Amino acid sequence: MASTPPPPISEPDPSTFTASSSHVGPCSGCQRPTHKYGSGGLPLCQWRRVAALMVAEGWAVYEPERDVQGSAWAREREERRTQALARRAAWQKDQRDAREELKAQVSPPPSPPGEAWQRA
């Protein structure tokens, strides 16, 4: 089985980047932080899970199209990532709008060219 070795254990499983902290726990094989799917069980980081799947299925090489569980989890991660990016974009827009509104409240209106400002 020729494959790329996993990164050092100090690096978390990429699945943790979009998971809430309540869904992150140690891999039961290597203790790498990983996303805990479902309740209970012994979570495996993606490298341990794929290796175990390949042994169980008798695959010589990883076949993502046949990895139903991994593919479903990848779709879930992508959906969470897309939602997180949308929330961030909305928050940034709200911040810009609030800044512009504050700027409009603080700045005096511009006087027309050639006219002096007059008191009412």
Side-chain angles (χ1 to χ4, degrees):
M1 171 175 74
S3 65
T4 305
I9 292 174
S10 60
E11 294 184 27
D13 186 334
S15 66
T16 62
F17 300 150
T18 57
S20 69
S21 60
S22 64
H23 291 106
V24 174
C27 168
S28 62
C30 65
Q31 302 305 304
R32 173 191 316 275
T34 191
H35 184 198
K36 298 186 298 187
Y37 295 93
S39 59
L42 300 171
L44 294 173
C45 64
Q46 70 178 0
W47 297 279
R48 300 274 176 157
R49 188 192 66 77
V50 167
L53 175 67
M54 289 174 64
V55 168
E57 297 293 326
W59 299 346
V61 293
Y62 178 61
E63 301 176 41
E65 63 280 353
R66 291 179 57 197
D67 182 0
V68 177
Q69 186 178 42
S71 297
W73 290 345
R75 283 190 300 276
E76 290 172 10
R77 279 193 306 272
E78 184 57 31
E79 185 177 314
R80 284 193 309 274
R81 179 181 174 279
T82 300
Q83 291 170 353
L85 290 173
R87 284 191 307 271
R88 170 113 176 128
W91 177 83
Q92 288 175 324
K93 181 185 180 311
D94 289 346
Q95 294 297 308
R96 280 191 305 273
D97 291 349
R99 218 174 13 255
E100 292 299 320
E101 184 178 331
L102 182 60
K103 192 186 293 184
Q105 291 173 359
V106 172
S107 302
S111 56
E115 290 185 24
W117 184 72
Q118 301 174 3
R119 289 186 186 219

